[in-house]
Amino acid sequence: MGLQGATSMQYLLWFFGIATCVKLLLIPSYHSTDFEVHRNWLALTHSLPLSQWYSDETSPWTLDYPPFFAYFERILSIFANLIDPQIVHPQKGLNYSSNTVVSFQRITVILSDLCMLYGVYRLTKDLDSKRRTLIWVLVIWSPMLVIVDHVHFQYNGFLLGFLFISLSYLEEGRDLMGGFFFAVLLCFKHLFAVAAPVYFVYLLRHYCCGGLVRGLRRLSAMGAVVTAVFAAAYAPFVYQGQIQQVLRRMFPFGRGLCHAYWAPNFWVFYIILDKLLTFFLRKFGFAIPTPEASFTGGLVGDSSPFSILPQITPLTTFMIVLLALSPCLIKAWREPQPGMVTRWVAYAYTCGFLFGWHVHEKASLHFVIPLATIAVQNMDSARHYYLLSIVSSYSLFPLLFEVREYPIKVLLLLLYSIIMWLVFSAQFTDGQEAKATSPINKEAGRLELKGNGNVAAKKGGFVIRGIEKSYLVGLLVVEIWGQLLHSIFFGERLPFVPLMLISIYCGLGIVYSWIWQLRWIIRSPES
Amino acid sequence: MEKSRGRKVMKDKEEAVDDDPWWWLVHKGIAASFMCIAMFALLVRVAVSLHPYSGAGNPPKYGDFEAQRHWMEITLNLPVKEWYRNSTTNDLSYWGLDYPPLTAYQSYIHGLFLRFFHPESVSLFTSRGHESYFGKLLMRWTVLSSDALMFFPAVFYFVIVYYAGRPHGQKTDIAWHIAIMLLNPCLMLIDHGHFQYNCISLGLTVGAVAAVLSNKELVACFLFSLALNHKQMSAYFAPAFFSHLFGKCIRRQNPLLEVSKLGLVVLGTFALVWWPYLHSMEAFLSVLSRLAPFERGIYEDYVANFWCTTSVLIKWKRMFTTQSLKLLSLGATFSTCLPSMVQQIRAPSNQGFLYGLLNSAFSFYMFSFQVHEKSILLPLLPASLLALEEPFLLKWITFYALFSMFPLLCRDKLILPYVALSALFILIYHVPSGRQDRRERLSFNSFVTTLLMLCSVVLHIVYITMKPPNRYPFLFEAVIMCLCFSQFVVLSFYSNAKQWALKRTIFMDKEKKLV
């Protein structure tokens, strides 16, 4: 029904084109130190032999992504050298920020988004045209990608493209390709490895099944593919005897539990609880020693400076993440359904975000963007996504701290909220339509929770419930407090409070999202 | 059987809705779509404002940005009577005020805003050439807020009024029209890139047009008088307003009363705005002389109008005195907008009024005295109001309006937003939609249009990359100007013809009714 493949591709390109125009206009906006990080990687991959890529210390921004990303930078550096040799000069290029280098690097990000374009297209190509259009709108025009990639500066769109390609293969049932692309993704950015347990269990149960012999044959096939990918990435460094150095750079556990700006995750509450306990116990006359490092000061070293609560080590966080993942892993083990893979993977990234070690707020992209692709499946998901995407976009606000970008981030968020509201209420206008569209997509139809989503859809259009609404209003209060009231009431004192408030408040939203996803996964029907 | 047929009909209907990929944007009504598009338009404007402005970091005169800032400084620190007068504190040779008093009041209000947050940026004398991070930002925000408070509501008013009378309008088309009006690349480049406040006078004009369309003539007169008092260039539209309203009035029961009511509103508005300068003839004349800078010659730079283009062959400035050129240009302007005025007086109609606006703006742009490249914004406005009837006209005039400003924008280092906004315009213009009956009823011979497009693309590249020969340092500008001029001439002939053709169809309608 509806549109032909070719014309609908036109829409996707059109959405992408509009986004590209905005991205082009944003070229002169603020960029973070990540810009110089990537410039330095261009320079060092261009000017140094492979054996020194991971040991060079000319700039403090050393290479700490896996080898594929280094190769990617190496390829880009060829063009950079053609355009302006100073970009790739290891010494003269340091902190180089002329128009050419800014435009060049920004445009590489814009072009690399084509990867995400293909990924989204692939992931949605079997859906009906309506749903597909909506998903495209939600993903391509995501404000988070604009804020992180095109203002702050990173290549997340490119990497998420690989994740989408991998997920699309899994949903099609072509597990080998799915595994291959996930391995490729891991060799681009190892932070994506949080979903590896899910992939492992799913592929083991879904791909390597059907009798012992067939299972073993398939297991070895998958093993060979993954090994080949990793070999392509790491073999040159093994050959050069650099592998230890590479790993040391990739896993810098010297960093603290939390980043300078606390990502809105579980550890925020842990820290706050510790502080409160200390405060009250001191009031009651207990002598509590003050820890040496402090959280408000920025980066902290190995020691987790908790006064009362148990110290947290990377191993603890690792175990907690695994524990949080276990319901999902059990589900995947018992019944590996291709239709649930996106949810499971998104859930894995949520766990990693919530309980991981040294999590950056940007990591919320890893689960919010994939969740966009399932947001139009039913009313409940839509409502959840509406809240989650607003909260996580808002939690990115502190990334762009300069006044000049303030209207940009606010407008991006407002625009996206309006678009989401329009999109979801169009999809769930009345029960009639929701019912009419759901059988078309069997995949989605099967995922529909018994009763839950459909009943809500029948009752009326897309409505935000009271609690969610008041939570969103609270977001506004937090913002007004941080921008205006805090300086009126406290002046220069307690400068960390506005940021802390954002972390705590957004943390609540993310925890809610985690519980919601967990509940959905546990309650999803088994056939 | 009966039931299944019914279901089939329903399904057909559903599919008709399904086929529209924009149903999500429009299903909540015009206001919601407008909200969404307006947010996007604002975002684009903020993004454009990240780019340089005219005269950035270019002492001693800087550019329009400094002019506007200087006016804030002057209006804030001097009494009203001194604003237009040369004195030790107000050096008129350094960006003296040369717009009517409403601009001065607007500068004063914006000046208050700047002084509240950043007093150094508007302090008398010491702030000349002020270009701090925060000062620049505040200046940009004054344009943004003016745009959001004047132009956007005016467009919304226009859309409501314009589509109230035509219930058959496709919702998607309305959304498209809103996007076309709000995302006009020329206006965004000049206001948020180059730095000016055209959004205010154009917004007032759009408001006046909407008021005319909804038969609120007094409101229209008030708003248009304000527009005139913000930028005297709004007079480009005056013949259309005059002829349409006059034509309407003489068809009423008591024409004299109607006309005098309108006249009183206009005079009253003018008196209100000019109040501080009405106490003496001398004060009044000193302001007036600032508004009409005849000493600057009949044209400046390379503007694609009649005088400048023909001066390649005929040296107007050498052949005639300024005095006779004034008369000549007045005569030419008046006589070229006469046909459209006559048409509106004889048969005033809403559609004809919009064409009349376009035609009179065109004739002013072509023939009036002291026209600037940026004045192409004025013909562009009615063209964008007519976008749904004349999509091709809009596309063509936007392309060449952009092109005619290209040398100016190059000087301002705005090539990147120029490219991005042109692309945005093309994308929005050619938005894919389920239906095939799209627009483009008129198009020139497609071979000719393709050739012209190709020429202009090549010229763009040539202009950026190549150095003109030493003997003719402005060769490329002249070529661009001639090309744009030729297109504008064709378009203005076309729209004049179109306006006159309207009359016949209206008469035919009347005849039908009589039959």
Side-chain angles (χ1 to χ4, degrees), chain B residues 13-24:
Chain B
K13 210 173 166 188
E14 244 171 48
E15 245 164 82
V17 177
D18 282 341
D19 263 358
D20 187 356
W22 295 103
W23 94 102
W24 60 271

PDB file of all heavy atoms in Angstrom, chain B residues 13-24:
ATOM      1  N   LYS B  13     -10.533   5.854   0.660  1.00  0.00           N
ATOM      2  CA  LYS B  13     -10.402   7.141   1.319  1.00  0.00           C
ATOM      3  C   LYS B  13      -9.154   7.144   2.214  1.00  0.00           C
ATOM      4  O   LYS B  13      -8.370   8.083   2.218  1.00  0.00           O
ATOM      5  CB  LYS B  13     -11.649   7.396   2.152  1.00  0.00           C
ATOM      6  CG  LYS B  13     -12.004   8.857   2.300  1.00  0.00           C
ATOM      7  CD  LYS B  13     -13.358   8.961   2.987  1.00  0.00           C
ATOM      8  CE  LYS B  13     -13.636  10.356   3.462  1.00  0.00           C
ATOM      9  NZ  LYS B  13     -14.843  10.377   4.283  1.00  0.00           N
ATOM     10  N   GLU B  14      -9.019   6.055   2.945  1.00  0.00           N
ATOM     11  CA  GLU B  14      -7.867   5.950   3.830  1.00  0.00           C
ATOM     12  C   GLU B  14      -6.574   6.025   3.031  1.00  0.00           C
ATOM     13  O   GLU B  14      -5.628   6.668   3.424  1.00  0.00           O
ATOM     14  CB  GLU B  14      -7.920   4.615   4.560  1.00  0.00           C
ATOM     15  CG  GLU B  14      -8.083   4.764   6.049  1.00  0.00           C
ATOM     16  CD  GLU B  14      -8.354   3.437   6.695  1.00  0.00           C
ATOM     17  OE1 GLU B  14      -7.614   2.488   6.385  1.00  0.00           O
ATOM     18  OE2 GLU B  14      -9.305   3.343   7.475  1.00  0.00           O
ATOM     19  N   GLU B  15      -6.599   5.336   1.894  1.00  0.00           N
ATOM     20  CA  GLU B  15      -5.371   5.311   1.105  1.00  0.00           C
ATOM     21  C   GLU B  15      -5.032   6.694   0.584  1.00  0.00           C
ATOM     22  O   GLU B  15      -3.874   7.060   0.493  1.00  0.00           O
ATOM     23  CB  GLU B  15      -5.514   4.329  -0.050  1.00  0.00           C
ATOM     24  CG  GLU B  15      -4.550   3.170   0.088  1.00  0.00           C
ATOM     25  CD  GLU B  15      -4.942   2.023  -0.798  1.00  0.00           C
ATOM     26  OE1 GLU B  15      -4.604   2.082  -1.981  1.00  0.00           O
ATOM     27  OE2 GLU B  15      -5.594   1.090  -0.310  1.00  0.00           O
ATOM     28  N   ALA B  16      -6.090   7.445   0.263  1.00  0.00           N
ATOM     29  CA  ALA B  16      -5.849   8.810  -0.200  1.00  0.00           C
ATOM     30  C   ALA B  16      -5.127   9.602   0.890  1.00  0.00           C
ATOM     31  O   ALA B  16      -4.226  10.385   0.630  1.00  0.00           O
ATOM     32  CB  ALA B  16      -7.172   9.484  -0.551  1.00  0.00           C
ATOM     33  N   VAL B  17      -5.529   9.350   2.140  1.00  0.00           N
ATOM     34  CA  VAL B  17      -4.853  10.017   3.252  1.00  0.00           C
ATOM     35  C   VAL B  17      -3.449   9.457   3.413  1.00  0.00           C
ATOM     36  O   VAL B  17      -2.480  10.180   3.600  1.00  0.00           O
ATOM     37  CB  VAL B  17      -5.670   9.831   4.549  1.00  0.00           C
ATOM     38  CG1 VAL B  17      -4.933  10.454   5.719  1.00  0.00           C
ATOM     39  CG2 VAL B  17      -7.038  10.435   4.393  1.00  0.00           C
ATOM     40  N   ASP B  18      -3.350   8.130   3.296  1.00  0.00           N
ATOM     41  CA  ASP B  18      -2.054   7.480   3.483  1.00  0.00           C
ATOM     42  C   ASP B  18      -1.023   7.982   2.491  1.00  0.00           C
ATOM     43  O   ASP B  18       0.150   8.093   2.805  1.00  0.00           O
ATOM     44  CB  ASP B  18      -2.212   5.976   3.295  1.00  0.00           C
ATOM     45  CG  ASP B  18      -2.822   5.354   4.525  1.00  0.00           C
ATOM     46  OD1 ASP B  18      -2.762   6.006   5.571  1.00  0.00           O
ATOM     47  OD2 ASP B  18      -3.367   4.250   4.434  1.00  0.00           O
ATOM     48  N   ASP B  19      -1.503   8.263   1.294  1.00  0.00           N
ATOM     49  CA  ASP B  19      -0.563   8.632   0.248  1.00  0.00           C
ATOM     50  C   ASP B  19       0.159   9.920   0.561  1.00  0.00           C
ATOM     51  O   ASP B  19       1.200  10.201  -0.013  1.00  0.00           O
ATOM     52  CB  ASP B  19      -1.308   8.767  -1.080  1.00  0.00           C
ATOM     53  CG  ASP B  19      -1.176   7.487  -1.867  1.00  0.00           C
ATOM     54  OD1 ASP B  19      -0.491   6.584  -1.365  1.00  0.00           O
ATOM     55  OD2 ASP B  19      -1.744   7.403  -2.960  1.00  0.00           O
ATOM     56  N   ASP B  20      -0.411  10.713   1.435  1.00  0.00           N
ATOM     57  CA  ASP B  20       0.218  11.970   1.761  1.00  0.00           C
ATOM     58  C   ASP B  20       1.247  11.752   2.864  1.00  0.00           C
ATOM     59  O   ASP B  20       0.886  11.477   4.003  1.00  0.00           O
ATOM     60  CB  ASP B  20      -0.849  12.952   2.230  1.00  0.00           C
ATOM     61  CG  ASP B  20      -0.278  14.323   2.426  1.00  0.00           C
ATOM     62  OD1 ASP B  20       0.944  14.461   2.268  1.00  0.00           O
ATOM     63  OD2 ASP B  20      -1.041  15.236   2.746  1.00  0.00           O
ATOM     64  N   PRO B  21       2.530  11.864   2.545  1.00  0.00           N
ATOM     65  CA  PRO B  21       3.537  11.595   3.572  1.00  0.00           C
ATOM     66  C   PRO B  21       3.610  12.692   4.616  1.00  0.00           C
ATOM     67  O   PRO B  21       4.333  12.568   5.595  1.00  0.00           O
ATOM     68  CB  PRO B  21       4.829  11.518   2.773  1.00  0.00           C
ATOM     69  CG  PRO B  21       4.563  12.365   1.596  1.00  0.00           C
ATOM     70  CD  PRO B  21       3.115  12.243   1.282  1.00  0.00           C
ATOM     71  N   TRP B  22       2.854  13.729   4.413  1.00  0.00           N
ATOM     72  CA  TRP B  22       2.931  14.843   5.357  1.00  0.00           C
ATOM     73  C   TRP B  22       1.741  14.883   6.285  1.00  0.00           C
ATOM     74  O   TRP B  22       1.512  15.870   6.938  1.00  0.00           O
ATOM     75  CB  TRP B  22       3.061  16.168   4.590  1.00  0.00           C
ATOM     76  CG  TRP B  22       4.334  16.175   3.860  1.00  0.00           C
ATOM     77  CD1 TRP B  22       4.532  15.970   2.537  1.00  0.00           C
ATOM     78  CD2 TRP B  22       5.628  16.298   4.437  1.00  0.00           C
ATOM     79  NE1 TRP B  22       5.856  15.962   2.257  1.00  0.00           N
ATOM     80  CE2 TRP B  22       6.551  16.169   3.398  1.00  0.00           C
ATOM     81  CE3 TRP B  22       6.096  16.507   5.735  1.00  0.00           C
ATOM     82  CZ2 TRP B  22       7.920  16.229   3.623  1.00  0.00           C
ATOM     83  CZ3 TRP B  22       7.451  16.571   5.949  1.00  0.00           C
ATOM     84  CH2 TRP B  22       8.338  16.437   4.897  1.00  0.00           C
ATOM     85  N   TRP B  23       0.993  13.766   6.310  1.00  0.00           N
ATOM     86  CA  TRP B  23      -0.225  13.811   7.124  1.00  0.00           C
ATOM     87  C   TRP B  23       0.101  14.081   8.576  1.00  0.00           C
ATOM     88  O   TRP B  23      -0.654  14.728   9.276  1.00  0.00           O
ATOM     89  CB  TRP B  23      -0.982  12.502   6.945  1.00  0.00           C
ATOM     90  CG  TRP B  23      -0.700  11.457   7.966  1.00  0.00           C
ATOM     91  CD1 TRP B  23      -1.496  11.148   9.019  1.00  0.00           C
ATOM     92  CD2 TRP B  23       0.433  10.601   8.066  1.00  0.00           C
ATOM     93  NE1 TRP B  23      -0.931  10.144   9.759  1.00  0.00           N
ATOM     94  CE2 TRP B  23       0.268   9.794   9.206  1.00  0.00           C
ATOM     95  CE3 TRP B  23       1.594  10.426   7.302  1.00  0.00           C
ATOM     96  CZ2 TRP B  23       1.195   8.855   9.594  1.00  0.00           C
ATOM     97  CZ3 TRP B  23       2.519   9.491   7.683  1.00  0.00           C
ATOM     98  CH2 TRP B  23       2.313   8.724   8.814  1.00  0.00           C
ATOM     99  N   TRP B  24       1.252  13.641   9.027  1.00  0.00           N
ATOM    100  CA  TRP B  24       1.590  13.866  10.434  1.00  0.00           C
ATOM    101  C   TRP B  24       1.814  15.338  10.732  1.00  0.00           C
ATOM    102  O   TRP B  24       1.568  15.803  11.836  1.00  0.00           O
ATOM    103  CB  TRP B  24       2.818  13.059  10.829  1.00  0.00           C
ATOM    104  CG  TRP B  24       4.056  13.379  10.037  1.00  0.00           C
ATOM    105  CD1 TRP B  24       4.462  12.810   8.876  1.00  0.00           C
ATOM    106  CD2 TRP B  24       5.037  14.352  10.347  1.00  0.00           C
ATOM    107  NE1 TRP B  24       5.612  13.376   8.432  1.00  0.00           N
ATOM    108  CE2 TRP B  24       6.000  14.325   9.316  1.00  0.00           C
ATOM    109  CE3 TRP B  24       5.205  15.264  11.392  1.00  0.00           C
ATOM    110  CZ2 TRP B  24       7.113  15.155   9.306  1.00  0.00           C
ATOM    111  CZ3 TRP B  24       6.322  16.099  11.376  1.00  0.00           C
ATOM    112  CH2 TRP B  24       7.257  16.036  10.345  1.00  0.00           C
TER     113      TRP B  24
END
